[in-house]
Amino acid sequence: MTEADAPVQPRKSGLTRRQKRALSRGAQYAVFVAAVIAFAVTADWGRLKNQFAQWDLARQMFPEVITLALKNTVLYTMSGFVVGLVLGMVIALMRLSPVGPYRWVAGIYIEIFRGLPALLIFVFVGVAVPLAFPGTEIPGGTYGKVALALGLVSAAYMAETIRAGIQAVPKGQMEAARSLGFSHARAMVSIVIPQAFRIVIPPLTNELVLLFKDSSLVLFLGVTLEERELTKFGRDLASQTANSTPILVAGLCYLLVTVPLGFVVRRLEAKAGEATK
């Protein structure tokens, strides 16, 4: 075979795999920097400052934004989380029950409340419950209504999280407890459920962050001035002053809680990952 008849070998690229990755990263950084520069150059910072950064208005919000609005937001969130956790535990155990009707009811509940928007649940609690049960008052007034609405929403998600945690506990734990004379119920309460909660703490903490934001829907229940949470508080002041600075301050107050909670979630997930290694 002559030299002219030899197959043509494809030319090899002069870049190594590491160099290609470095080049790709450099291109991504360049795109990011270009986007930031474009935003900084084209944005009208003067108008943004006038609408969102009137510090005199921001100072007028204190201390009520903390002592009233943030306090109510935390109370709404924690009460809804407690109701959701208790109800979610019950539904999770129903999902794992050998009794068919319990499983069906739990499954229907999860599908309905996981599929409906949280806003509709608040409207249901605020309007449909009083119509269905005339003369019946939900204990706790607005706080009770919010706890029930947030609990109904979160219970569907918590139930699936808790069920997954229970099923993640090795079956040998239950078998060992039964061999020691524990009843099934006592083994679940003393052995399985505590281990399941150690597994599901990170996703439950993440659910708490979501509930903290969903508490803003309380405004659809109709609240008094003393029952306002952050979003309602900020929106009312923004309407009175025709300026969006109160909305920005309310958003920063949300971040004061959600950012540390997000850090806690990441730390718990990291520790859980280390424990499984």
Side-chain angles (χ1 to χ4, degrees):
M1 185 172 60
T2 64
E3 183 176 340
D5 295 331
V8 178
Q9 298 293 332
R11 295 184 60 187
K12 293 184 179 180
S13 173
L15 298 176
T16 65
R17 185 175 299 178
R18 179 177 298 178
Q19 290 172 330
K20 289 180 180 178
R21 286 199 298 266
L23 184 61
S24 175
R25 270 198 309 272
Q28 294 176 40
Y29 278 117
V31 171
F32 174 76
V33 171
V36 171
I37 293 174
F39 173 76
V41 170
T42 58
D44 190 337
W45 294 103
R47 294 183 64 183
L48 286 174
K49 181 178 182 299
N50 289 334
Q51 188 63 25
F52 289 97
Q54 294 295 325
W55 304 121
D56 291 338
L57 291 178
R59 282 194 295 269
Q60 294 174 14
M61 297 176 65
F62 291 88
E64 280 191 312
V65 69
I66 301 297
T67 60
L68 176 69
L70 182 58
K71 180 199 73 174
N72 283 336
T73 300
V74 172
L75 288 176
Y76 293 147
T77 303
M78 295 308 300
S79 59
F81 183 79
V82 170
V83 172
L85 185 61
V86 174
L87 185 57
M89 172 62 72
V90 174
I91 295 171
L93 294 176
M94 290 174 65
R95 284 276 284 173
L96 297 171
S97 173
V99 181
Y102 287 171
R103 294 197 307 273
W104 304 334
V105 170
I108 292 171
Y109 176 93
I110 290 171
E111 292 302 324
I112 290 176
F113 284 90
R114 194 169 55 179
L116 289 176
L119 172 59
L120 293 184
I121 307 303
F122 273 79
V123 173
F124 171 79
V125 170
V127 178
V129 171
L131 290 176
F133 304 98
T136 301
E137 289 289 336
I138 297 175
T142 300
Y143 293 95
K145 292 178 182 178
V146 176
L148 178 60
L150 289 177
L152 290 173
V153 172
S154 62
Y157 296 94
M158 290 189 190
E160 288 294 86
T161 299
I162 295 171
R163 178 184 63 83
I166 292 174
Q167 291 180 325
V169 176
K171 293 183 179 180
Q173 297 290 322
M174 173 63 77
E175 295 171 355
R178 296 302 300 273
S179 67
L180 293 174
F182 283 63
S183 66
H184 184 274
R186 186 182 173 191
M188 284 291 292
V189 172
S190 302
I191 306 298
V192 176
I193 291 178
Q195 294 186 57
F197 266 95
R198 283 197 291 270
I199 296 172
V200 302
I201 281 177
L204 287 181
T205 309
N206 194 52
E207 182 64 27
L208 181 62
V209 175
L210 297 177
L211 279 182
F212 190 77
K213 295 184 293 183
D214 284 344
S215 65
S216 62
L217 296 174
V218 68
L219 62 91
F220 291 98
L221 294 177
V223 295
T224 65
L225 292 177
E226 295 300 318
E227 295 170 340
R228 291 177 297 173
E229 41 67 56
L230 282 170
T231 298
K232 176 68 172 170
F233 186 85
R235 197 179 74 161
D236 287 349
L237 288 179
S239 299
Q240 294 171 14
T241 60
N243 191 274
S244 298
T245 300
I247 300 292
L248 176 62
V249 174
L252 294 176
C253 288
Y254 276 105
L255 294 178
L256 285 176
V257 177
T258 57
V259 170
L261 277 177
F263 175 77
V264 170
V265 171
R266 290 191 294 273
R267 291 294 300 168
L268 291 174
E269 289 176 343
K271 287 185 178 180
E274 292 173 0
T276 57
K277 290 181 180 179

